[in-house]
Amino acid sequence: MANILHIDTSPRGERSISRQLSYELITSWKDTHLNDTVTYRDLGHHPVPHVDESWIAAAFTPPDNRTPELTEAIKLSDSLIDEFLAADRYILGVPMYNFSIPSKLKAYIDQIVRVGRTFAVTDNGYQGLVDSSKKVLVITSRGGSYRPGTPEAAYDYQEPYLRAIFGYMGLTDVTFIHADNLNAGDDSRAKSLAAAKEAIAQAVANW
């Protein structure tokens, strides 16, 4: 039995392609993995706050030395990290915004990437503290195509960043399913969505 953390990041509702595809994946997954549990976090509609000065002070103060105010300032981060570490697999729906990720996802990442909790600083450099056997699957929605070899590939700061930040925490088994070219006309859009749905079906069977 596995615990899946399912995260949506689009502020859109039914019109969100990333939501539709992540929902399709998690629904199919639950139909074929009956004993798995799913924790759902909707960052698009229920964002977490950005890091502030009190958060930083709390994060770099040993727990036993924190004032009640600092303990409160870091409380949500602790809860989000506990939730993140309790999961065995991660499924994210992430639209591309300005070649990168939504700010709501960045705020969440800043809450969970914490020294002593999800990474450590050692004599040999940074070390991820999250179990490297865990898997991440990211479904993106993109207006254009930024795949390797395309003219716009250099503008993709979404996949490289997410690979880097998950790897920083220790998660190196990261799979991407890109629904791209969504603004390139009906034919291109239909082909891309069909390919993404086929990749989702394969992920449910093999991931």
Side-chain angles (χ1 to χ4, degrees):
M1 184 177 76
N3 178 25
I4 313 296
L5 178 56
H6 173 202
I7 299 175
D8 274 324
T9 64
S10 173
R12 288 182 170 182
E14 295 180 356
R15 295 189 301 125
S16 168
I17 297 299
S18 63
R19 281 182 183 274
Q20 293 174 24
L21 294 176
S22 76
Y23 177 80
E24 181 170 330
L25 191 152
I26 203 67
T27 300
S28 297
W29 185 274
K30 289 192 291 186
D31 286 344
T32 54
H33 299 78
L34 301 179
N35 294 323
D36 286 0
T37 60
V38 177
T39 300
Y40 181 58
R41 182 161 292 278
D42 187 346
L43 297 175
H45 292 162
H46 304 283
V48 299
H50 290 280
V51 165
D52 59 16
E53 186 174 2
S54 295
W55 187 101
I56 295 169
F60 290 95
T61 300
D64 292 342
N65 295 338
R66 290 175 189 154
T67 64
E69 291 76 16
L70 291 184
T71 299
E72 183 63 26
I74 207 73
K75 183 178 179 180
L76 175 61
S77 175
D78 282 334
S79 177
L80 293 171
I81 291 172
D82 289 343
E83 178 183 82
F84 190 82
L85 294 177
D88 303 297
R89 298 182 183 226
Y90 309 89
I91 295 171
L92 287 80
V94 185
M96 176 181 273
Y97 283 2
N98 296 320
F99 312 121
S100 187
I101 63 173
S103 64
K104 294 176 180 180
L105 177 55
K106 182 60 168 61
Y108 172 79
I109 289 171
D110 289 343
Q111 289 281 356
I112 66 169
V113 178
R114 259 177 61 196
V115 65
R117 293 298 313 271
T118 52
F119 77 95
V121 182
T122 73
D123 292 340
N124 297 318
Y126 297 114
Q127 176 185 345
L129 298 179
V130 183
D131 185 347
S132 62
S133 68
K134 298 181 178 185
K135 297 182 178 183
V136 182
L137 196 156
V138 182
I139 300 174
T140 76
S141 56
R142 302 168 161 201
S145 178
Y146 306 91
R147 297 173 187 264
T150 64
E152 309 300 329
Y155 289 100
D156 183 2
Y157 297 97
Q158 183 188 51
E159 179 175 337
Y161 171 71
L162 290 174
R163 283 194 184 279
I165 201 64
F166 281 122
Y168 186 69
M169 293 187 288
L171 296 165
T172 56
D173 190 339
V174 184
T175 300
F176 281 82
I177 296 175
H178 297 302
D180 55 8
N181 272 332
L182 298 178
N183 295 336
D186 291 343
D187 187 51
S188 293
R189 179 187 179 93
K191 288 180 179 178
S192 181
L193 289 175
K197 291 182 178 184
E198 175 59 28
I200 286 171
Q202 292 179 12
V204 171
N206 303 311
W207 184 55

